[in-house]
Amino acid sequence: MKIILLQDEKKLGKKGDIIEASDGYARNYILPKKIGVEATPKNLNDLKLQKANADKLAKEQLDAAKELAAVLETKTVEVKMKAGEGGKAFGSVSSKEIAAACKEQHDIELDKKKLLLPEALKNFGMYEVSVKLHPQVTAKLKVHISEQ
């Protein structure tokens, strides 16, 4: 019996895979536990439509990430810090502060977990911070740290 898997199942396959299972195994285990459904023409067509929709959604997300990356490449975020003794920065700038400054200055919402800081930003000056927008898209954001 041909079965379309509805979820990832160890030893059987991944969600959306079409597998061949014995009739007894399919009737007594796979179908009652809602791990899969029988591969009827209607169910195969539904699977095809779901895959097409998922591909379309993934492409839209990739395009949106590329557009945001192009915008971020041109922006500079200004972060002000207090100065300690001898004109050195007091503390360091975190990814949370950079994300908040980007939201405030350019109205671009960034997730602080997606900001990849090269090292702790403890000195005044200009830095390039990588932003992982998508598994295939990484942008460089310029961060200028100045004295308050």
Side-chain angles (χ1 to χ4, degrees), residues 78-82 93 97 124 144-148:
E78 183 79 28
V79 179
K80 297 197 181 282
M81 288 182 70
K82 290 183 180 178
V93 176
E97 292 169 321
F124 298 120
H144 184 250
I145 301 174
S146 61
E147 194 173 334
Q148 207 170 24

Side-chain angles (χ1 to χ4, degrees), residues 93-143:
V93 176
S94 67
S95 57
K96 182 179 178 182
E97 292 169 321
I98 295 171
C102 189
K103 171 76 173 152
E104 182 183 305
Q105 295 169 17
H106 303 294
D107 201 34
I108 298 172
E109 187 109 13
L110 293 176
D111 186 5
K112 68 178 184 178
K113 295 174 189 152
K114 307 242 182 208
L115 294 170
L116 308 171
L117 299 177
E119 74 272 345
L121 306 179
K122 295 182 178 183
N123 297 319
F124 298 120
M126 188 70 91
Y127 294 92
E128 273 198 354
V129 175
S130 296
V131 183
K132 188 132 175 107
L133 300 170
H134 187 273
Q136 300 170 359
V137 180
T138 303
K140 296 279 187 192
L141 176 66
K142 292 180 192 84
V143 178

